[in-house]
Amino acid sequence: MLASILAIRVGGFAVHRGVIPLRFVVTMPPRRSARLSGGSSSDDLDSDTLFNKVEHKPRRKRNVSTLNKKQKIEDSSAALTSGVISETETADSSTSSSSSTSTLDSYCLPRTRESSLLLAKKYTHVIGIDEAGRGPLAGPVVAAAAYAPINVGGIVDSKKITKESERERLYEEITHADSQAHWAVAVVSAARIDEINILQATLEAMTMAATALVAAKEDATVYQEWASIEHDGCYVVRSRCETVAAAVGASTTTLSTGALPRETTIALIDGNQLPPRMPIAAESIVKGDSKEYCIAVASILAKVTRDRLMNAYATKFPIYNFAQHKGYPTKAHKEAIAKHGAIAIHRRTFAPLKYMDFGNGVSNAT
C-alpha cells in the first residue's frame, strides 16, 4: 500500500510517519509522570530523549552576577557620580551581610596594566598622566602626572564625578594621603596654546609633568609652589620640592626630594598619542582615565587645578562668569565674548574667536 502509515507509540507520544510525503505529528502528554523523570527503563530513556528534542525550554533569567567586569565598573561609577546607592544594589554587590552597608566611597578603579608591568619586574614605578582643558575657549590646558601607590576610595574618571566638592575632597586626599605619593601638575597658558596649537600644548604639558617627577638638576622647568593666576607663562607645581624657582624663566631648578628613578619608571597616558619628548618610557591607553587607577588620579589632579584657576579668573573677570562654565564654549560664554570682547586668557585660534576682530588683541575687559 503506497499510502501505508507506520504508527509508533513511545511513552505518551504518538508519531505518525507517512512514506509519501514524510511528516511528523507529535502529541504531548498532559503531564510527565514521576516515572518519566526518574525511571530507569529503556522506554523511559527513549521518551526523555524524544521529549528533549521537541521541548522548548524557557530562557534562563540573566543573573546580576554574570555581568562582565566592565559593566560592573560602569555601574559602580554611575552610582558614585549620583552619590546615591540603593539598599538592593548594595545587597547585590555584597558577599556578606556585614559588607552590605558599605558605600561606593571605598570603590576605586583597578590597577590592571600597572600590576602587569610591576609583575614583569622591568619597572619599579608606574605613573599615570592625564589632562584637563583641551576644549575651552579660555584658560590654560593642565596636565598632571601621579605616582600613587596607595588607594584612595572613590577614585574614578574625574569627568564622572559631577560634584565639584567631591573632586576637591579627593584632591586633598590624594595630595596629603601618603609620604610615598608623588605628583606634578603642569600649566600651559592660552598664549602658548595659540602659538603651537592645542594638541602640541597638551603633549608639552604632559612632558613637563612627567619630567618633574624624574627631575634632574639640569632641568630648566619653571616650578611654583602652587597654581595661581598670578603666575605668567607655563610652569609646574609638584609635591615636596626642596626649594622653589625664584622667578618665571629661571634657568636653574632644584631636585625634588622624592624624584623617581628615570630608568625604571614608566608612564601610562590617557589617549591614543604619546608626547614625542617624554623623559621616560610610556604607553597610551584609550579612555585610560576610566580604566586605570593611576590615570584617574592624574585626571582629578588636573581637573581640580584647572577649576581652581578658572574660579580665580571668575573673581577677576566677573562679566564672563568663568566659575559656571570654566571657559567652555557655552552659549552664555560666547554671548559674553561677543558683547565684551576677549581677554588675555582667551584662545584666539579657537572658533568663534579666530573669526573676530579684536584690534590690538586685547579688549577693554582686561
Side-chain angles (χ1 to χ4, degrees), residues 173-366:
E173 287 196 33
I174 293 167
T175 55
H176 297 88
D178 191 276
S179 59
Q180 295 181 353
H182 303 265
W183 55 269
V185 179
V187 180
V188 173
S189 66
R192 181 62 172 166
I193 292 172
D194 287 338
E195 180 183 351
I196 62 175
N197 76 48
I198 184 59
L199 174 59
Q200 296 307 315
T202 301
L203 299 178
E204 183 175 274
M206 290 178 171
T207 301
M208 292 168 60
T211 301
L213 291 187
V214 293
K217 291 182 178 179
E218 66 271 14
D219 290 330
T221 305
V222 177
Y223 294 101
Q224 300 291 352
E225 251 182 312
W226 59 84
S228 171
I229 62 174
E230 302 304 321
H231 301 323
D232 296 326
C234 307
Y235 58 92
V236 175
V237 177
R238 64 180 174 181
S239 57
R240 296 194 317 283
C241 290
E242 292 176 349
T243 59
V244 178
V248 173
S251 58
T252 60
T253 61
T254 56
L255 180 65
S256 171
T257 58
L260 302 178
R262 189 183 296 255
E263 295 78 12
T264 58
T265 298
I266 185 171
L268 300 180
I269 301 177
D270 179 51
N272 59 2
Q273 291 189 350
L274 295 177
R277 291 179 293 276
M278 281 290 288
I280 56 177
E283 292 182 2
S284 62
I285 300 179
V286 176
K287 296 184 179 180
D289 50 2
S290 62
K291 297 176 181 178
E292 283 289 331
Y293 177 86
C294 61
I295 299 179
V297 169
S299 76
I300 291 172
L301 294 176
K303 174 66 174 173
V304 171
T305 299
R306 190 179 186 282
D307 284 355
R308 290 179 176 181
L309 291 172
M310 297 312 295
N311 288 337
Y313 281 126
T315 302
K316 187 174 183 179
F317 306 110
I319 58 177
Y320 293 97
N321 199 14
F322 289 126
Q324 181 180 10
H325 51 69
K326 302 299 189 291
Y328 281 86
T330 64
K331 180 180 179 181
H333 187 195
K334 289 187 285 188
E335 288 176 349
I337 295 173
K339 181 177 180 180
H340 304 290
I343 56 177
I345 67 168
H346 277 109
R347 304 172 183 179
R348 308 308 171 88
T349 55
F350 279 44
L353 288 154
K354 65 181 180 180
Y355 303 117
M356 296 180 176
D357 182 11
F358 298 110
N360 62 0
V362 180
S363 78
N364 56 12
T366 59

Side-chain angles (χ1 to χ4, degrees), residues 42-295:
S42 59
D43 286 345
D44 295 338
L45 180 61
D46 292 340
S47 299
D48 286 343
T49 302
L50 182 59
F51 183 81
N52 288 334
K53 288 183 179 180
V54 299
E55 180 185 20
H56 295 283
K57 296 184 179 181
R59 180 177 295 179
R60 294 178 62 186
K61 293 184 178 179
R62 191 182 186 192
N63 195 301
V64 175
S65 63
T66 62
L67 292 174
N68 58 49
K69 184 177 181 181
K70 179 178 179 182
Q71 185 63 45
K72 285 184 179 180
I73 291 175
E74 291 176 353
D75 293 346
S76 299
S77 301
L80 176 64
T81 302
S82 64
V84 178
I85 179 168
S86 68
E87 295 180 359
T88 302
E89 291 169 334
T90 305
D92 288 341
S93 62
S94 302
T95 58
S96 66
S97 59
S98 61
S99 62
S100 63
T101 57
S102 64
T103 65
L104 281 175
D105 286 341
S106 61
Y107 173 82
C108 59
L109 289 176
R111 299 172 180 265
T112 308
R113 183 55 181 158
E114 176 183 351
S115 297
S116 66
L117 289 168
L118 294 176
L119 285 173
K121 297 183 179 181
K122 182 178 180 180
Y123 301 102
T124 59
H125 298 78
V126 179
I127 66 174
I129 299 179
D130 198 10
E131 53 75 30
R134 289 186 63 175
L137 301 178
V141 62
V142 176
Y147 170 67
I150 42 82
N151 281 341
V152 175
I155 296 295
V156 294
D157 180 7
S158 64
K159 293 186 290 296
K160 295 182 179 180
I161 306 174
T162 57
K163 293 182 179 179
E164 190 169 345
S165 60
E166 178 65 12
R167 292 194 298 269
E168 285 282 348
R169 180 188 68 80
L170 291 171
Y171 178 95
E172 293 299 326
E173 287 196 33
I174 293 167
T175 55
H176 297 88
D178 191 276
S179 59
Q180 295 181 353
H182 303 265
W183 55 269
V185 179
V187 180
V188 173
S189 66
R192 181 62 172 166
I193 292 172
D194 287 338
E195 180 183 351
I196 62 175
N197 76 48
I198 184 59
L199 174 59
Q200 296 307 315
T202 301
L203 299 178
E204 183 175 274
M206 290 178 171
T207 301
M208 292 168 60
T211 301
L213 291 187
V214 293
K217 291 182 178 179
E218 66 271 14
D219 290 330
T221 305
V222 177
Y223 294 101
Q224 300 291 352
E225 251 182 312
W226 59 84
S228 171
I229 62 174
E230 302 304 321
H231 301 323
D232 296 326
C234 307
Y235 58 92
V236 175
V237 177
R238 64 180 174 181
S239 57
R240 296 194 317 283
C241 290
E242 292 176 349
T243 59
V244 178
V248 173
S251 58
T252 60
T253 61
T254 56
L255 180 65
S256 171
T257 58
L260 302 178
R262 189 183 296 255
E263 295 78 12
T264 58
T265 298
I266 185 171
L268 300 180
I269 301 177
D270 179 51
N272 59 2
Q273 291 189 350
L274 295 177
R277 291 179 293 276
M278 281 290 288
I280 56 177
E283 292 182 2
S284 62
I285 300 179
V286 176
K287 296 184 179 180
D289 50 2
S290 62
K291 297 176 181 178
E292 283 289 331
Y293 177 86
C294 61
I295 299 179

